[in-house]
Amino acid sequence: MSEIFRISIVIQVVRDLDATLPVQDLHGFLYITNNPGCRVTDLQNNLGVSSASATRIVHRLGHFESKGRVGLGLITVETDKEDRRQRCLWLSTKGQKLVKRMESAMN
């Protein structure tokens, strides 16, 4: 199976969760997957997005999106113990299950 085909299978796994998920949000999810406990500012700097965009990504991937809509619940947001102004990002149980489905699809 070619690498491109494997990527398309993983994309379908994500589309099954939310067919309208922006690529930028998927990129954020993958960044958090590979950097558990990262801060929102890390997401901003490493994805090359604005502070507002990073916040929107966190809201969509988290439990609450703007305008009262429910987020995907793939990540949890915790206050940084060293700097209470910062927020740390972790995969939720639902996010961990999605990663396992993505990894299974790759095999």
Side-chain angles (χ1 to χ4, degrees), residues 1 6 24 29 39 86:
M1 185 177 342
R6 288 180 185 183
Q24 182 172 282
F29 177 74
R39 295 175 174 179
Q86 296 289 326

Side-chain angles (χ1 to χ4, degrees), residues 3-101:
E3 293 299 314
I4 296 297
F5 184 70
R6 288 180 185 183
I7 292 169
S8 70
I9 292 171
V10 169
I11 290 170
Q12 188 56 51
V13 169
V14 174
R15 288 182 54 85
D16 290 345
L17 174 70
D18 182 348
T20 64
L21 185 72
V23 172
Q24 182 172 282
D25 294 2
L26 176 57
H27 191 195
F29 177 74
L30 295 173
Y31 182 81
I32 296 164
T33 298
N34 289 312
N35 300 280
C38 65
R39 295 175 174 179
V40 176
T41 53
D42 298 328
L43 192 68
Q44 175 186 346
N45 295 332
N46 288 283
L47 268 57
V49 297
S50 68
S51 176
S53 291
T55 299
R56 279 191 297 274
I57 291 168
V58 169
H59 286 172
R60 280 191 295 260
L61 295 177
H63 293 287
F64 301 105
E65 196 173 336
S66 64
K67 300 178 184 171
R69 291 189 292 189
V70 177
L72 295 172
L74 299 174
I75 64 169
T76 60
V77 181
E78 298 176 5
T79 301
D80 189 327
K81 292 177 177 140
E82 295 174 12
D83 183 350
R84 298 188 54 77
R85 297 170 296 170
Q86 296 289 326
R87 302 290 177 253
C88 297
L89 310 172
W90 305 88
L91 292 183
S92 65
T93 301
K94 184 177 179 181
Q96 292 170 8
K97 288 178 183 177
L98 177 59
V99 169
K100 287 183 182 180
R101 286 196 311 271

